[in-house]
Amino acid sequence: MVSLNECLLNRVEESLIAGGPKAVSGCQHSVSIHDNSDLYFNVSEFLYSNWGEVPNLNREACLLQFSFTKADRILKRREFIALAKSGRRIQNEYFIAVFSPGRHGRSRLGITVTKKVGGAVKRNRIKRLVREFFRLNRQSLSGEWDINIIAKNQIADITSERAYQSLQNIISRISRYHDPQ
């Protein structure tokens, strides 16, 4: 069975090899690819509109697996405070992750981006990048975790690719911890 990321990256690579910047299409929705930083795009819309070209994937199961619902988020202040008190902390150049074993039957994500990082546009961009990365890569986490990703001030003007590399580092380090449940 082909994972969603593998399938999309293969399609994108085929497109780039075939003629550089062009559109991956085949339906009413086209996805423009300009460089490697644009490899991360709206996967659900692409898959839904090009479903016949994705091998060995059950459409409903795939869309549910890669969805990001309200139940996948840490939203309440008391949950953020409890996580800060009892969770472990790891960090890299751009992010701090506070995490603890989850008790909700799934991994959940909270995102904290302070005003020190920049204006609303920059903060919202960072939150979108983190949400999209988590949505696409949550299956690579071993165990069920509550994770709060805190953006550091240095992140304001980094590329999407650097942010994804940094988040991949965080997720792989969290996966190495033993889940005591």
Side-chain angles (χ1 to χ4, degrees):
M1 186 163 178
V2 177
S3 79
L4 185 59
N5 286 341
E6 291 173 46
C7 179
L8 287 172
L9 289 176
N10 288 340
R11 290 272 300 156
V12 169
E13 285 175 11
E14 289 170 11
S15 174
L16 289 173
I17 290 168
K22 60 190 272 185
V24 176
S25 62
C27 65
Q28 65 193 43
H29 300 96
S30 302
V31 180
S32 295
I33 301 167
H34 300 291
D35 60 20
N36 288 339
S37 65
D38 286 339
L39 291 179
Y40 303 94
F41 48 82
N42 189 331
V43 175
S44 299
E45 183 176 298
F46 177 77
L47 275 182
Y48 183 76
S49 54
N50 292 296
W51 199 258
E53 300 175 11
V54 181
N56 300 324
L57 293 173
N58 178 325
R59 179 177 165 206
E60 289 79 21
C62 188
L63 291 178
L64 284 176
Q65 179 184 4
F66 293 100
S67 65
F68 189 65
T69 64
K70 219 171 192 181
D72 298 324
R73 301 175 188 183
I74 300 171
L75 296 171
K76 300 191 187 262
R77 184 175 189 273
R78 64 181 160 81
E79 292 176 328
F80 279 98
I81 291 171
L83 186 59
K85 286 182 181 176
S86 67
R88 296 181 180 187
R89 297 172 77 89
I90 58 173
Q91 63 182 325
N92 61 22
E93 187 178 356
Y94 299 112
F95 295 103
I96 300 169
V98 181
F99 62 98
S100 69
R103 293 168 282 157
H104 298 279
R106 60 177 60 201
S107 290
R108 298 186 315 150
L109 177 71
I111 304 169
T112 305
V113 185
T114 65
K115 288 185 179 180
K116 291 179 183 177
V117 170
V121 173
K122 287 183 182 183
R123 293 194 314 269
N124 289 338
R125 176 181 173 265
I126 292 164
K127 288 187 270 187
R128 279 193 308 272
L129 288 171
V130 173
R131 276 194 304 266
E132 185 68 3
F133 179 84
F134 183 76
R135 184 180 75 81
L136 294 174
N137 294 285
R138 124 178 80 207
Q139 73 278 1
S140 66
L141 275 171
S142 62
E144 297 165 356
W145 299 96
D146 284 348
I147 304 168
N148 182 22
I149 300 289
I150 303 167
K152 291 184 172 182
N153 297 347
Q154 300 92 318
I155 197 167
D157 294 316
I158 69 165
T159 64
S160 304
E161 188 175 331
R162 292 278 301 175
Y164 287 127
Q165 289 170 353
S166 183
L167 288 166
Q168 184 61 49
N169 173 270
I170 292 279
I171 293 296
S172 65
R173 289 170 59 194
I174 290 173
S175 292
R176 285 187 237 147
Y177 280 90
H178 174 67
D179 187 357
Q181 287 184 343

